[in-house]
């Protein structure tokens, strides 16, 4: 039996530390928790997206400071992705004031597609809507750095057979004998 839940990285790490889950899938940078093993599984790059209301930005290369004048859509503050973005922009003396702070990246893509502002999400979350032409990725003078998606588990515990098999399937591996 497998139970899948969704939550921000800090919450996922708390539940893992309390023994409430076998493993979590989180993004870096994240605060490491004691006795945890981290395994990078794929790179993640964030991008800024917009809908047709912002068409004049489509073929322009923007600096981050220009984003300060635009309505902004992002994840809630309690996420590692939001913390990463805020810290990255703060180093460039840029502060974005969100019009909307949402719980999921899927919601950000939908709000951007409905022209409610400029969203920031992992490229993978926006790829389908970009391909359909519902949103486009902004071109910035400097891309956001690549982060990692990682599987994190309590290194003191062995995974349940169901959790181990799910990880194998996610990694495209052949099942290991019991």
């Amino acid at each position: 039996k497998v139970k899948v839940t969704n939550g921000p990285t800090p919450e996922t790490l708390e539940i893992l530390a309390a023994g409430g889950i076998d493993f979590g899938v989180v993004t870096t940078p994240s605060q490491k928790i004691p006795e945890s093993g981290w395994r990078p599984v794929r790179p993640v790059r964030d991008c800024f997206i917009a809908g047709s209301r912002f068409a004049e930005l489509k073929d322009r290369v923007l600096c981050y400071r220009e984003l300060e004048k635009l309505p902004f859509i992002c994840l809630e503050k309690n996420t590692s992705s939001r913390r990463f973005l805020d810290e990255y922009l703060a180093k460039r003396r840029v502060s974005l004031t969100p019009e909307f702070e949402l719980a999921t990246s899927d919601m950000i893509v939908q709000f951007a597609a409905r022209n409610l502002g400029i969203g920031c999400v992992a490229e993978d979350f926006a790829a389908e809507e970009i391909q359909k032409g519902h949103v486009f990725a902004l071109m910035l003078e400097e891309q956001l750095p690549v982060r990692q998606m990682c599987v994190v588990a309590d290194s003191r515990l062995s995974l349940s057979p169901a959790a181990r098999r799910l990880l194998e399937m996610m990694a495209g591996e052949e099942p290991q004998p019991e």
Side-chain angles (χ1 to χ4, degrees), residues 33-106:
I33 56 174
E35 309 297 336
S36 65
W38 291 67
R39 184 172 113 195
V41 290
R42 66 177 303 203
V44 177
R45 185 182 297 276
D46 298 293
C47 67
F48 290 88
I49 59 171
S52 59
R53 173 180 162 204
F54 302 95
E56 73 279 359
L57 303 176
K58 194 170 191 172
D59 296 318
R60 287 187 44 216
V61 176
L62 304 168
C63 67
Y64 286 109
R65 182 145 326 270
E66 289 178 272
L67 297 177
E68 289 180 321
K69 301 172 194 146
L70 299 167
F72 184 58
I73 308 166
C74 63
L75 288 171
E76 297 169 334
K77 281 190 180 268
N78 65 334
T79 64
S80 62
S81 295
R82 171 68 183 277
R83 188 170 31 255
F84 164 77
L85 179 65
D86 287 347
E87 290 172 4
Y88 179 83
L89 293 175
K91 290 177 185 173
R92 283 145 187 82
R93 295 190 177 113
V94 174
S95 176
L96 301 180
T97 305
E99 297 288 324
F100 298 98
E101 293 179 286
L102 304 174
T104 68
S105 295
D106 291 335

